[in-house]
Amino acid sequence: MSAPDVGDDERRLVDEVLRSGRLSMGPMLARFEEEFAACAGVPHAVGVSSGTAGLHLGMIAAGVGDGDLVVTSPFSFVASANAILYERGIPVFVDIDPETLALDAGRAAEAVESLARRLPDRGRWLPRGARVSPGTLRAVVPVHVFGRPAEIDGLAAAARAHGVALVEDACEAVGARTGGRPVGTAGDAGVFAFYPNKQMTTGEGGMLVTAHATWDELFRSLRNQGRDGDARWLHHVRLGFNYRLDEMSAAVGLAQLRRLDALLAGRRAVASAYDARLKSVAGVSPLSAPGPRVEKSWFVYVVRLDPAIDRSRLMERLEARGVPTRPYFSPIHLQPFYRDRFGFEPGDFPHTEEAARRLLALPFHAGLAEDDLDYVCGCLADESARARDSAA
Ligand SMILES: *Cc1c(COP(=O)(O)O)cnc(C)c1O
């Protein structure tokens, strides 16, 4: 499905770390953070042990506590909502725009307005299990799904107007831009992730970016067991975590960051090659391209299947021919523990559920050669025709 692209640059920097004897809290992390901040055009970048850890710290900085509300998308990886639950907050899901797959920004801004001003209709935005005594709206967490920058200017303005934090989940979108502005920099904080299937990797790891000096300090303290700025060894001023990014991971990340343009170009080329081949495959459509001011960073290659195609059958047949595929995503609100805890039901977010039924991720990484793509698309053409017949 995916494969990291690591080479000699990564090996050289990891070797430098191993020879230095400093395996954590050393100069490599500082270099990685500095260069990442420069790339994103923000004053502060803080390395953490995963994207999930970054989202968690974002929720703490936003002030999320017991019963507080956070507006976010149900069409995402489960971590974007779990981070809210870690601080005992309540996720307020708003359905997506079926075309862009991102939070419907107009509806999300309406939700922000209603919840922040505690309007009489606010109950309709809340999960069934949280309608009795809703807390305070603290944050909005839009997700840049599959590397396509979400349109969030209106949402950012609504959040700002009501003193609600904007924390962007940019875990799938490193390098993506809108009107030249990198994703993750429109609000209070942005979170990136470097798991091996992402556009750049550190093995496990993540990065927070922010323009607030106070948030930068808070993140550095929280990731390091709640030590304060001078980081005295056994002096803890708040409840913290071990969310540090070690030096070997930072070395891999720094080498990847320096090659990021090439890594993204490789993925873009494979995506275009897929687009071209799929023109002749009936019932299988590439996702729509974003507008001209928007630069997507390719995370996964996802297609939309005609409703007449039986997706599970198609996946089985492709698997049998050596082509792995994944349904992407499975809605967060329908995960068993979200249903148990908040009372979500099928039908709550129809666009999200429809996307989850019809989308399919194909094998995708820069190492796929022309004949790999011919093979995948050939199998897809045969098997989607058959899966359609069997569904009819
Ligand atoms: C990958 C991902 C995360 C989490 O990143 P990890 O580094 O795996 O913890 C969060 N949100 C989204 C949308 C992701 O794709």
Side-chain angles (χ1 to χ4, degrees):
M1 277 305 292
S2 71
D5 177 345
V6 294
D8 288 342
D9 296 349
E10 286 79 0
R11 274 188 280 277
R12 217 169 9 247
L13 282 184
V14 171
D15 197 52
E16 194 182 301
V17 168
L18 294 175
R19 286 169 196 281
S20 78
R22 282 191 75 173
L23 306 190
S24 189
M25 306 216 315
M28 200 58 84
L29 176 59
R31 273 158 79 188
F32 182 31
E33 290 176 340
E34 244 166 64
E35 293 193 21
F36 197 93
C39 268
V42 286
H44 309 286
V46 181
V48 285
S49 53
S50 68
T52 306
L55 288 164
H56 183 190
L57 299 191
M59 293 301 90
I60 295 175
V64 176
D66 247 326
D68 285 339
L69 309 175
V70 179
V71 170
T72 191
S73 172
F75 189 69
S76 178
F77 182 57
V78 71
S80 58
N82 281 355
I84 301 163
L85 274 58
Y86 296 159
E87 291 303 310
R88 300 167 313 283
I90 294 168
V92 177
F93 292 125
V94 172
D95 208 356
I96 56 170
D97 174 323
E99 198 54 39
T100 68
L101 306 175
L103 260 185
D104 179 325
R107 287 175 69 84
E110 249 181 82
V112 167
E113 179 85 16
S114 167
L115 295 166
R117 298 178 56 198
R118 299 180 177 267
L119 299 181
D121 80 330
R122 69 182 195 272
R124 79 185 170 101
W125 298 103
L126 297 167
R128 286 176 192 81
R131 286 184 188 159
V132 186
S133 53
T136 304
L137 178 65
R138 299 285 185 197
V140 182
V141 180
V143 183
H144 301 287
V145 180
F146 304 158
R148 175 182 174 140
E151 290 165 27
I152 56 172
D153 287 348
L155 186 54
R160 211 174 302 119
H162 295 287
V164 171
L166 181 77
V167 177
E168 292 173 67
D169 181 341
C171 289
E172 302 190 348
V174 68
R177 291 164 189 271
T178 302
R181 185 188 69 204
V183 294
T185 62
D188 299 284
V191 185
F192 297 87
F194 308 131
Y195 188 73
N197 68 342
K198 314 277 178 176
Q199 292 91 325
M200 60 173 273
T201 188
T202 58
E204 296 285 356
M207 189 72 79
L208 280 151
V209 297
T210 182
H212 306 316
T214 49
W215 284 37
D216 172 63
E217 268 171 42
L218 180 61
F219 293 150
R220 289 176 191 282
S221 170
L222 288 169
R223 77 170 171 187
N224 192 21
Q225 306 284 15
R227 292 180 175 97
D228 61 6
D230 57 16
R232 276 176 288 159
W233 191 244
L234 291 176
H235 182 67
H236 308 275
V237 296
R238 56 174 60 82
L239 176 64
F241 307 88
N242 178 356
Y243 284 169
R244 295 183 301 258
L245 186 67
D246 67 76
E247 289 286 288
M248 289 76 72
S249 303
V252 175
L254 182 60
Q256 293 260 291
L257 181 65
R258 289 173 174 170
R259 295 203 293 129
L260 183 59
D261 288 345
L263 293 174
L264 296 181
R267 299 172 84 91
R268 198 158 50 234
V270 172
S272 307
Y274 261 131
D275 285 348
R277 283 167 175 77
L278 289 176
K279 281 199 182 106
S280 53
V281 179
V284 177
S285 324
L287 297 181
S288 67
R293 291 174 60 252
V294 181
E295 281 171 66
K296 178 171 176 171
S297 160
W298 286 88
F299 168 52
V300 282
Y301 190 86
V302 169
V303 293
R304 203 185 290 271
L305 301 178
D306 186 288
I309 294 174
D310 179 337
R311 187 178 62 180
S312 327
R313 260 204 134 85
L314 173 61
M315 290 179 62
E316 269 169 35
R317 285 175 164 164
L318 289 171
E319 186 75 44
R321 295 179 66 177
V323 178
T325 56
R326 299 276 183 279
Y328 232 101
F329 295 105
S330 176
I332 300 178
H333 67 284
L334 297 181
Q335 301 304 320
F337 85 99
Y338 276 82
R339 292 186 65 170
D340 288 351
R341 190 139 159 200
F342 298 109
F344 293 117
E345 288 170 12
D348 282 349
F349 303 102
H351 294 313
T352 294
E353 293 167 32
E354 177 66 6
R357 269 192 295 274
R358 288 179 49 200
L359 299 186
L360 188 66
L362 306 181
F364 185 65
H365 54 87
L368 290 173
E370 296 280 323
D371 52 349
D372 295 325
L373 296 171
D374 287 340
Y375 181 72
V376 171
C377 294
C379 292
L380 194 57
D382 300 346
E383 301 303 341
S384 58
R386 286 219 262 154
R388 178 204 295 264
D389 296 343
S390 66

